[in-house]
Amino acid sequence: MSGNHSAYNKMGTIICALIGAVWALPFVWMITASLRPDSGGADIASLIPQWPLSVGYFQDALIYADWGTLYRNTIIFSVGILSAQLFSITTAGYVFAFVPFRGRELVFRLFLVQLMLWPIVLMVPNMVTLKSLGLLDTLLGAMLPYMASAFGIFMVRQAFRSVPKEMIEAAQVEGANLLHIFILVLLPAIWPTLLAFSIVSLTTHWNEYLWPLMVLSDMDTHTLTIGLVSFTTSAESGAEWGLIAAGTLLVCLPITLTFVLFQKHFISSFGFTQYK
Amino acid sequence: MSSVRLNNVAKHFGAAKIIQNLSLAINDGEFIAVVGPSGSGKSTVLRLISGLEPVTEGTIQIGPRDVTTLHPKKRNVAMVFQNYALYPHMSVERNILFGMKIRKESREAQRKALSRVVEILHLEGLLKRKPRQLSGGQRQRVAMARAIVRRPELFLMDEPLSNLDAKLRNEVRLSIMELHRKLKTTTVYVTHDQVEAMTMADRIVVLRDGIIQQVGTPQELYQTPANLFVARFIGSPAMNIIDIACENGSLRLPNGLKVPTPAFVKPALNQARTVRMGIRPEHIILASEGQADDQGSGLVSLAGTLSTVEMLGSDIVLHTTGGSNGLRVRVANHGVPYASGDTTRLLLDLSKAHFFSAEGKERLC
Amino acid sequence: MSSVRLNNVAKHFGAAKIIQNLSLAINDGEFIAVVGPSGSGKSTVLRLISGLEPVTEGTIQIGPRDVTTLHPKKRNVAMVFQNYALYPHMSVERNILFGMKIRKESREAQRKALSRVVEILHLEGLLKRKPRQLSGGQRQRVAMARAIVRRPELFLMDEPLSNLDAKLRNEVRLSIMELHRKLKTTTVYVTHDQVEAMTMADRIVVLRDGIIQQVGTPQELYQTPANLFVARFIGSPAMNIIDIACENGSLRLPNGLKVPTPAFVKPALNQARTVRMGIRPEHIILASEGQADDQGSGLVSLAGTLSTVEMLGSDIVLHTTGGSNGLRVRVANHGVPYASGDTTRLLLDLSKAHFFSAEGKERLC
Amino acid sequence: ATRIDFMFPSPVQGKLAKEMTTIVTEYNKSQSEVEVRGIFTGDYDTTKVKAEAAAKAGNPPALVIMMANLIPDLAINGFIAPIQTLARHANVDADTFLAEEFWPALRQNASFSGEAYGIPFHNSTPVMYYNKTMFNKMGIEPPTTWAEVVEAAKKIANPDQGRWGIMLPSVNTDYCGWILSSLVMANGGQYYNSKYPGEVYYTAPTTVGAMTFWRDLVFKHKVMPQGVLTPNTISSTFFAGQLGMAFLSTGALGHMRENSKDFELGVAFMPQKVTRGVLIGGASLVTFKGISEEQQKAAWKFMSYLTSPEVSGRWSRFTGYFAPRMKAYDLPEMKQYLTQHPDAKTALDQLKYAQPWYSTYETIAVRKAMENNMARLLNDPNLKPAEAARAAQNEADEILAPYVEKTALQLP
Amino acid sequence: MLKRLHILLLAPSAALLFLFTYKPFFQAVIESMYDSRATSSGQFVGLANFVRLFDDPAFMAAVINNIIYVVFTVIPSLIIGLFFALLLKENSRANRWLRSIFFFPTLVPLVAAAALWSFIFLPGVGLLDHYLSVFIRSSHHNFLGQENTALTVLIIISIWKYSGYYMLFFLAGLQSIPDDALEAAHIEGASPWQGFYHVTLPLLRPTLTFVGTIALVYSFTQIDHIPAMTNGGPGHSTTVLLYYIQTITMESQDLGKAYAATLCTVVGLFFLTWLNNALLDSGVDYER
Ligand SMILES: Nc1ncnc2c1ncn2[C@@H]1O[C@H](COP(=O)(O)OP(=O)(O)OP(=O)(O)O)[C@@H](O)[C@H]1O
Ligand SMILES: Nc1ncnc2c1ncn2[C@@H]1O[C@H](COP(=O)(O)OP(=O)(O)OP(=O)(O)O)[C@@H](O)[C@H]1O
Ligand SMILES: [Mg+2]
Ligand SMILES: [Mg+2]
């Protein structure tokens, strides 16, 4: 929609800005709290930063874990999964969207079962499988079960289906083979969807905890969240809010930074250019 | 370039029989125009030839190859889609060069080809835009450019100029003709524009409800339409049709006027009881004072009143009532002021008339 | 029905200034045709009036209301989009009735209105289909139906008939005119079809690069084009343009021929050094043997050779070379066989000619 | 060198994981026969899950720091092996080792069916923390009995200003059960049958009494907020100076000390009723079945190192837990530490009154049966403690039934 | 030949799914018919586990809680996500920032989010009570500790976390809708709401089906904040199905019962997604 709804749009923006302020509260607090000199005291809840800012909690957090290794492993883990997924979901999504074969719907539904089964329930059998593959305790092993994603296949199929047929036809007539159509026409056409999936997959696996904890025993294969938990658990004492905030920030930071840096590119591919 | 043969082709969409038993042989290098009313199956024919739509029955050959079940990409045709079908995410330039790119043609060749079509279609300055930033006519030109940038065996064009203004259309039309003269690429061209069909085509195919009505050169179609449908469809304003009763040796017009059957039509009409006569608006003359009938040589005059006067610029179309009820007459715009309500006398040149059987299915002469 | 006023309207897309300082007053009940080359901003003007595009500068009034910032739904206009913009998920029937349904008009009214437009646009049997099951022309007719089923204050139609065949287009055109006669709804009609513009419009607006070139009745535009652009744009085949040098009292044609300046053009030309003369193809006659010049009254003859012969059915367009280099001549198709290479003599009627300033910006007479 | 897997959780704070890694690295460097792979396993619960999962996947860990009251459960389910399987390689008798070297109160939790299945590693008891500054200001003495607790709390509490007299953690992560059973003991009762893992005494008058005491703090005396309280809530309120007393673990000592900024922290014994009673908490080292002889040998070596007085003392000083190995307190460093931190001594002194941690068949579920009903009791002013106790007992009995049938009721 | 290629394309996914989904799933089906407790030495018990399951009041509480949780997370977060998407679909700078803000919660692990929110809802000293005290009056709400509010808090967190996430998919979906149809609707007098209801929404149905399914699945599976914040308590008031299953799996050896509960949940979820698809996907025009 374009046109004289700019007034409407402005109003929408203002409404969203108000809601956005509420939405952002936890973050604002997280940042102020992480920069506070101590997390006790009555005004810990205040959103106003306490001067002078202190990086004490970050220092603590940095000492508690081997962040270099943790970051490296997390990047391998999440980016590796994403790369494999991008391949598997686009190809499978293509088949489910465009290739008719007997029982397609059934096979598709069967694929979807994966969405509904959660790792914790299947953990032991999966570890047994990994063990028999000799992949227990390796990053690759930890990544393997995620490399096929019903979620992604579903999403890509749905997106492919709404690509106008004529575009594919035009390409066919121009002599494009399957690969051409796939790479040059279909993938760009569902680019926002792929991007959405990528962000989601990346963050999900970046933030994954239980499964890596279960299958990764070597310290030098540990991922960030395992490190985070190592200093934010507090079963018998009380929470060090500042430390939790700092740690959480450190875990989310790279992905958040990437996101903010490329915000314009990421997020604008989900929007309509002004001139349409 | 290749010849194309459609052998008893049929296409059904579910229960709807869109194309029925269609056979057509297109010669190597020929330029064929396909015309017909909206929904008559023109686009479908192109889609069948290109392979985008599988045929329900029959076979299709391009050159020596039977391509009936061949994938579109292997048919080596270029097509202009009626609704353009541009790639929304690619710039105009990439849209145009897509086909060459996937054929891995050299950059140099691409550059050259691009600059050639850009010139023909006046796409200067639009190359970096996305399709949604273009006007309707610009989009259509991009679609056209995308087709003619390549050198396929066969061009399929579905109303490629419908959204262009007369001047540009004329230019592009001439460029296409030029191109065709140079390359001699077999072309199937769907159009609603009679001028295009008449001037560009070696032969015209008239389609109606998925059935071919006539195939012939523009002259043939204009001069000897095979049936009433073709007669009325070709030419604008459409041919006047008059129901006529044949009564031993003379023809009776609906207003009662009787004229002796001219000798040259006698043999064809002598069996018929009633016939339908067609006469083109440009073959009716406004009789000047004193100009007389010559019923023997087929000049018949009718009195009438002008009901509507349509100024078309260079021409004027007059609609008449009265004895000449419903006839349309086309005269050149020489500045003579016609007004509705004027009475006039029309001279019909029966030697230029066409006679069809009562149901209109058949040409008598 | 309402009048429409555009006051100094401008529209920019980013840096591109698509419409510049456009002012136009459309009277209540008027039928305005907008013509212009592809990309000249015709659709944009409609979108500005409808409110789909916010204006960059200026104001728009519909009737007494200033609608410049009003939401489209409050402007009560009906629009036929150039690309149809049908609702892909609704059947043809629901597409057509959507607007009435939203206005909660009675079922009865809907039924009636539907059957009326279905008849006008020959949509029988298509009502249950989805848009993607329609041919191009059928889609366009649905788009048209969707607009005329309602009774808005203003019709905006963007090339609504471009994909229809001549016969149907003619019919629909007459129906629209009929409708307009009955309802007198103000209409802005974009078209590339000169016949439509000439026959339907009360006034025609000629647009070029977002700037109005001329506004006038069809006759005015045809007979007294305001500048060279309009002269060449209106009329098909386009007007012939000849560069002429004015030398004390006489005109020198490019081929060297000198003719005395006819009296009736003298006052206008006496300042100019060079002028550009335009003469329409229909105002050039093929001189029959012995027919003479009459330079005083402005009849000039030129010798030439036919280069191309274009058969248009009812007409023939002749392109010439030689002394009359590049002139187009239009003659009626009376069956005379012209062939390229024939030599001929052309009679130009200077009294029908148009004279423009050297840069073509201005009409001299 | 023989490789063994050693899983350790981080029950208190991240520092611990780091320190444990250091200990493991130092050990690996100090000798070449054993190579210990230290595996951080999150909190106590995930440690259990991970160890079990690894065992089921065919990768049993050699040593695990496991919540001490899970030992019977793990033993019954056949995951862990008696310590003797390790000790025999060094010709040591595990039971004697346990009996002679460790605080008596810890022994029972390390054994099952009279056999040592674990070696205590670090332990804690609940203590009472209080805001000394506040007490001084109001002229209150730290309470030593339940009655005094109520009295002091009433003086302090002012719900309108968000100030509370006392808070007891009631989350169902073991904390609630731990504190409640301490209260039951103070009330002179038995929370469970320490000789037989198939019985709990949830409906015993002493238990109901403890529950009533707790409930009354909320609904009758209104000195404690309604609903479940987490240690986070309690410590945060405490640090904000809005809380008089809290019953929390000695394991939280360091944290409490560090964050009590605006006032002075007081640490005292858990108040008594009939007796002083506190419960031992903490973790023991266990060994999983299915490791090789070599690994068993290596595991014993590493275990000996970890439980040596030096390491045990070091760990205690670092964490705030008390060291289970008695000899640790004979070391000069330890003596010095205790003089420096007299409040750390409170935990140690309390050990005299400490009793074993409850542990039954399906410990967690049985524990939760009570904890969830406590939560209801603290939420619902109309629920009678006896009803909640009854419900808890029924749930627990249901869980215990199959075991009871197979053992106590299986008669010749 | 082409067919084979397509099978080849599906093969990697299928193999992985087989290995890590179906195989363990079938094991689970089988296991659900064995008693795995130490007291039974793993004998076949048929449907006894299911019987025990349905006798367990905790399970029943979990079912009810789950229904409440699903209804009150899925519907609001879909609506809010769609609302954001619609309001922010134009690509202005302000909108981009707002989109980022709404999307941020997705970047935070649920466990970490739980920690942040635990603080917000901390009685007395937490963010909410703090500002309530500052602006209104002294406040002490034990939101997470009370049976009647704990689930609400969890629901709020879930909505906060996932609305922005669904917004992203809606934005992507909105992009594939031809604008001109909506323009036509406005011309025809449709208000923004009517345009949305009659044009955007139907054309958005494929996306809606997708997001709906995902939201359903998420509302069952994304519950990391429950163990982190309430442990299913107070009482059973925040025990949902997966948490129930998790606790059994993690805390006891009663796997048979856990698998039985899993199967019941999967069947229920399957039914719900089927319902969702049937409601939203029927008669959708994918081809355009
Ligand atoms: N989003 C846009 N960004 C930049 N330029 C645009 C955009 N939309 C349209 N234009 C340009 O504005 C000019 C006017 O477009 P408009 O669609 O009004 O032309 P038109 O007169 O309707 O042409 P046609 O007859 O081809 O439909 C064109 O040159 C077009 O390229
Ligand atoms: N998918 C479909 N299902 C049913 N009927 C269809 C389908 N596609 C096309 N048709 C019908 O087939 C007929 C021929 O369509 P086609 O597009 O070939 O017409 P056309 O001659 O190109 O018309 P136009 O000049 O209007 O573009 C039309 O009546 C159309 O309604
Ligand atoms: Mg067509
Ligand atoms: Mg346009």
Side-chain angles (χ1 to χ4, degrees), chain D residues 42-347:
Chain D
D43 55 22
Y44 280 136
D45 285 353
T46 39
T47 302
K48 172 178 185 273
V49 176
K50 167 133 186 171
E52 286 177 1
K56 286 185 201 157
N59 242 9
L63 285 176
V64 182
I65 296 183
M66 187 69 79
M67 216 152 88
N69 65 346
L70 295 177
I71 286 178
D73 199 37
L74 288 168
I76 292 171
N77 281 300
F79 283 110
I80 54 175
I83 296 299
Q84 190 57 33
T85 50
L86 309 185
R88 65 191 162 104
H89 294 286
N91 292 320
V92 176
D93 180 57
D95 299 319
T96 326
F97 177 66
L98 179 65
E100 289 176 355
E101 294 290 322
F102 295 84
W103 298 105
L106 307 178
R107 291 171 199 155
Q108 161 133 20
N109 275 133
S111 316
F112 172 68
S113 299
E115 211 178 340
Y117 271 86
I119 297 294
F121 180 69
H122 58 213
N123 297 83
S124 58
T125 55
V127 286
M128 185 179 83
Y129 295 95
Y130 63 98
N131 187 329
K132 210 179 225 171
T133 313
M134 190 189 286
F135 271 58
N136 289 342
K137 226 185 270 169
M138 297 192 168
I140 315 170
E141 282 297 307
T144 54
T145 65
W146 289 11
E148 286 171 19
V149 166
V150 173
E151 207 175 311
K154 274 180 162 169
K155 280 191 190 143
I156 296 164
N158 184 347
D160 285 343
Q161 285 175 15
R163 199 167 68 232
W164 300 96
I166 186 171
M167 286 190 186
L168 275 60
S170 41
V171 278
N172 62 0
T173 56
D174 200 63
Y175 232 138
C176 177
W178 198 47
I179 300 287
L180 179 65
S181 57
S182 292
L183 294 179
V184 172
M185 266 157 216
N187 206 16
Q190 294 281 320
Y191 192 62
Y192 73 111
N193 183 343
S194 56
K195 302 263 158 46
Y196 173 69
E199 250 170 30
V200 287
Y201 308 131
Y202 289 172
T203 43
T206 44
T207 310
V208 177
M211 291 167 74
T212 311
F213 169 67
W214 193 329
R215 190 205 93 102
D216 284 352
L217 291 174
V218 177
F219 294 115
K220 187 167 159 203
H221 310 303
K222 305 208 187 310
V223 294
M224 185 162 83
Q226 187 180 348
V228 167
L229 297 171
T230 64
N232 282 349
T233 307
I234 297 174
S235 58
S236 298
T237 318
F238 190 76
F239 300 148
Q242 295 283 66
L243 177 61
M245 296 167 274
F247 293 175
L248 289 171
S249 162
T250 50
L253 186 57
H255 179 68
M256 298 296 279
R257 208 187 288 142
E258 257 169 52
N259 288 289
S260 299
K261 295 265 161 65
D262 309 332
F263 53 86
E264 200 185 334
L265 172 73
V267 183
F269 278 11
M270 285 283 283
Q272 59 176 339
K273 173 110 190 297
V274 176
T275 78
R276 285 199 182 285
V278 288
L279 212 62
I280 296 280
S284 301
L285 288 159
V286 296
T287 181
F288 270 65
K289 283 185 177 167
I291 58 173
S292 70
E293 297 266 313
E294 286 300 299
Q295 285 176 317
Q296 288 173 354
K297 229 181 267 178
W300 177 254
K301 282 186 186 137
F302 182 56
M303 180 189 263
S304 308
Y305 173 77
L306 277 180
T307 55
S308 67
E310 291 75 21
V311 178
S312 190
R314 169 183 171 182
W315 187 247
S316 161
R317 289 194 299 280
F318 186 81
T319 57
Y321 285 112
F322 66 83
R325 185 102 182 227
M326 291 184 287
K327 280 185 188 143
Y329 289 93
D330 299 339
L331 298 172
E333 308 92 288
M334 207 61 183
K335 291 190 164 137
Q336 193 193 346
Y337 171 77
L338 285 182
T339 36
Q340 263 170 18
H341 298 284
D343 48 8
K345 220 165 154 289
T346 312

Side-chain angles (χ1 to χ4, degrees), chain B residues 135-136, chain C residues 43 82 158-159:
Chain B
S135 79
Chain C
S43 301
Q82 189 168 10
D158 201 348
E159 304 189 27

Side-chain angles (χ1 to χ4, degrees), chain B residues 93-199:
Chain B
E93 174 169 342
R94 289 195 52 215
N95 258 286
I96 296 176
L97 293 179
F98 181 78
M100 296 186 79
K101 207 173 126 191
I102 58 177
R103 290 198 161 62
K104 302 208 170 44
E105 303 199 18
S106 73
R107 285 194 168 263
E108 183 55 22
Q110 293 188 23
R111 207 188 46 71
K112 267 201 189 141
L114 182 67
S115 71
R116 182 174 56 85
V117 296
V118 162
E119 199 196 310
I120 293 179
L121 291 156
H122 298 291
L123 291 171
E124 301 86 2
L126 302 178
L127 290 180
K128 295 284 163 263
R129 297 234 191 120
K130 292 278 170 68
R132 73 183 134 73
Q133 296 173 309
L134 299 179
S135 79
Q138 288 163 342
R139 285 179 208 182
Q140 193 166 42
R141 283 181 275 154
V142 175
M144 185 80 194
R146 191 170 60 175
I148 64 173
V149 80
R150 283 173 45 215
R151 294 273 171 275
E153 278 189 56
L154 184 59
F155 278 125
L156 301 173
M157 303 192 178
D158 202 348
E159 304 190 25
L161 310 181
S162 62
N163 270 325
L164 304 186
D165 56 283
K167 187 154 161 276
L168 189 57
R169 187 188 307 207
N170 224 23
E171 280 179 38
V172 176
R173 178 168 61 86
L174 294 174
S175 304
I176 298 176
M177 288 166 76
E178 177 69 30
L179 199 73
H180 184 250
R181 238 193 315 280
K182 274 220 305 265
L183 304 178
K184 283 275 167 239
T185 308
T186 315
T187 305
V188 184
Y189 189 102
V190 170
T191 183
H192 284 313
D193 186 322
Q194 304 243 347
V195 174
E196 282 170 22
M198 296 303 254
T199 55

Side-chain angles (χ1 to χ4, degrees), chain B residues 38 141 159 314-315 330, chain C residues 38 141 159 163 282 315 330:
Chain B
S38 171
R141 283 181 275 154
E159 304 190 25
S314 49
D315 296 296
R330 196 168 87 153
Chain C
S38 171
R141 283 181 276 154
E159 304 189 27
N163 271 326
E282 53 270 31
D315 297 294
R330 198 170 87 153

Side-chain angles (χ1 to χ4, degrees), chain B residues 13 18 38-44 82 192, chain C residues 129 133 135-138:
Chain B
F13 282 119
I18 304 302
S38 171
S40 58
K42 304 180 294 296
S43 301
T44 307
Q82 190 167 9
H192 284 313
Chain C
R129 297 233 190 123
Q133 297 172 312
S135 79
Q138 287 163 343

